[in-house]
Structure formats: C-alpha cells, structure tokens
C-alpha cells in the first residue's frame, strides 16, 4: 500500500509561539500574538503574509527544519516501510520559503531517521495528488486537506492537535498521537469482517 505522510505538525511538533515571540522581541517588531493556537503562521500574529515571508526567509525556516519528531513517528513509519509499504512524504513547503523544499525535507528526514521512498514538496492539493498517484492513505494534520482527500476517496488520517480538535469528528480516521495513527492505519489495512 502507498502511504503519504505530511511533515510539519504531523511527523514533527512545531512550537510557533516561542519562535515567533523571540523573533518579534529580537527584531523590535510591534506585532503581537493574536491566536496562539493558529496553525498557519499568518494567523498567529497581527502581521501580513509578507511579514511571515520575512520571518521564514530570515531564519524562521529552522523552526520547521529543526522541529522535533513526535514520539513514535520514526518507529511507526519504519515498521510500515519494513512491511513493504511505499512511504511518500508529501509536504506543502514552498520554494518561496525554503531554499529547496524537497532537498531540505530529505535532509531533515535523513537526520531524524525517517525512512521514505519519495519526497514531494509544494503540494497543497494533497488529496488530488494521492488520487493521481494511487496513494490510498494520507496522514495529515490540516483539516481542510483531510476533508478534501476524504471526499475524493482517499483514506485520510488526521493528526489531531489544538488547531484542529473541533473538526476531528468530521474525519473518519484520526488520532492525537502516533500510537493512535498506527491503530487507524492498521484498521485501514486490515478491517474487521463486515457484520451480517
């Protein structure tokens, strides 16, 4: 089976608030944290997308590239890979924010010991990508991406955290840690027999 996995806030845990507060203080910028639970940097502060781009290209990319792995992520993905599943890392990282999104992602995954077959960056329409490339399962933390993938027939498994908790029940498969994610994928791979 082909399994696509997102990096940011799925394989890793990103502490946007601490990094952005330090950046604002170090640079004497007047912005304030508007929504500490915001998933997108653009919604975190009362700043514009150009301010976000300045943050990322001014070293903020390290917030993503050096983010710690979530507990159990490495072991779970390694188990799937060892069982013969094809692992596609599917990220929305864009060239405007990262010097080389695919290579930067490969370097990070290699450093963290995450096995994979392919890395694809700059993809926002992940459900469509999965359909076009015969990927049956998508593990992702973005609710809108999971919802669209699910509507297209892809088995979306949403990593649940503060930013998407209220929408978790709208996605058939979800989990708040990698043990839950592994259980959901195991269920997808080997569903119980249908009741008569």
């Amino acid at each position: 089976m082909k399994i696509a996995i997102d990096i940011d806030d799925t394989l890793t845990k990103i502490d946007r608030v601490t990094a952005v507060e330090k950046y604002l203080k170090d640079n004497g910028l007047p912005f304030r944290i508007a929504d500490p639970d915001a998933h997108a940097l653009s919604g975190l502060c009362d700043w514009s997308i150009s301010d976000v781009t300045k943050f990322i290209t001014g070293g903020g990319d390290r917030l993503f590239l050096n983010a710690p792995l979530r507990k159990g992520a490495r072991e779970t993905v390694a188990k799937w890979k060892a069982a013969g599943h094809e692992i596609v890392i599917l990220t929305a990282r864009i060239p405007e924010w990262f010097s080389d999104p695919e290579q930067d992602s490969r370097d990070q995954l290699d450093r963290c010991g995450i096995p994979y077959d392919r890395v694809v960056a700059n993809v926002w329409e992940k459900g469509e990508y999965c359909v076009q490339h015969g990927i049956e399962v998508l593990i992702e933390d973005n609710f809108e991406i999971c919802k669209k993938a699910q509507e297209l027939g892809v088995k979306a498994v949403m990593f649940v955290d503060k930013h998407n908790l209220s929408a978790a029940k709208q996605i058939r498969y979800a989990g708040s840690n990698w043990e839950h994610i592994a259980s959901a994928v195991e269920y997808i791979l080997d569903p119980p027999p249908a009741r008569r």
Side-chain angles (χ1 to χ4, degrees), residues 60-139:
D61 60 340
R62 290 188 301 275
L63 168 65
F64 299 91
L65 298 174
N66 295 332
L69 284 180
R70 290 188 183 271
K71 182 181 176 185
R74 179 187 307 110
E75 298 79 5
T76 302
V77 177
K79 182 179 173 185
W80 294 336
K81 182 84 172 95
H85 300 293
E86 184 176 331
I87 306 299
V88 178
I89 303 300
L90 200 53
T91 178
R93 292 176 176 179
I94 57 176
E96 292 81 7
W97 285 4
F98 296 88
S99 59
D100 183 337
E102 285 186 11
Q103 189 59 53
D104 291 345
S105 298
R106 279 190 207 96
D107 292 345
Q108 177 183 13
L109 295 163
D110 293 345
R111 190 174 59 252
C112 293
I114 297 286
Y116 58 89
D117 293 286
R118 205 169 56 232
V119 174
V120 183
N122 198 18
V123 177
W124 182 255
E125 296 297 334
K126 294 181 181 182
E128 289 179 14
Y129 183 92
C130 288
V131 169
Q132 292 166 0
H133 294 86
I135 299 170
E136 297 95 330
V137 176
L138 170 64
I139 302 166

Side-chain angles (χ1 to χ4, degrees), residues 7-95:
I7 301 174
D8 303 319
D9 288 317
T10 301
L11 285 171
T12 64
K13 174 69 174 160
I14 298 176
D15 182 0
R16 290 167 177 77
V17 174
T18 301
V20 170
E21 283 179 334
K22 181 179 182 334
Y23 170 78
L24 297 177
K25 183 179 177 188
D26 290 351
N27 291 282
L29 296 172
F31 308 115
R32 62 178 182 75
I33 301 294
D35 180 1
D37 294 332
H39 182 241
L41 281 170
S42 58
L44 185 68
C45 288
D46 54 349
W47 56 2
S48 70
I49 195 68
S50 65
D51 295 313
V52 173
T53 299
K54 285 178 191 171
F55 165 69
I56 295 286
T57 58
D61 60 340
R62 290 188 301 275
L63 168 65
F64 299 91
L65 298 174
N66 295 332
L69 284 180
R70 290 188 183 271
K71 182 181 176 185
R74 179 187 307 110
E75 298 79 5
T76 302
V77 177
K79 182 179 173 185
W80 294 336
K81 182 84 172 95
H85 300 293
E86 184 176 331
I87 306 299
V88 178
I89 303 300
L90 200 53
T91 178
R93 292 176 176 179
I94 57 176

Side-chain angles (χ1 to χ4, degrees), residues 2-6 90 126-127 130 135-140 145-146 149 154-158:
K2 293 182 181 180
I3 302 171
I5 309 170
D6 173 53
L90 200 53
K126 294 181 181 182
C130 288
I135 299 170
E136 297 95 330
V137 176
L138 170 64
I139 302 166
E140 167 70 50
I145 290 174
C146 287
V154 176
K155 291 180 175 61
V157 182
M158 188 167 77

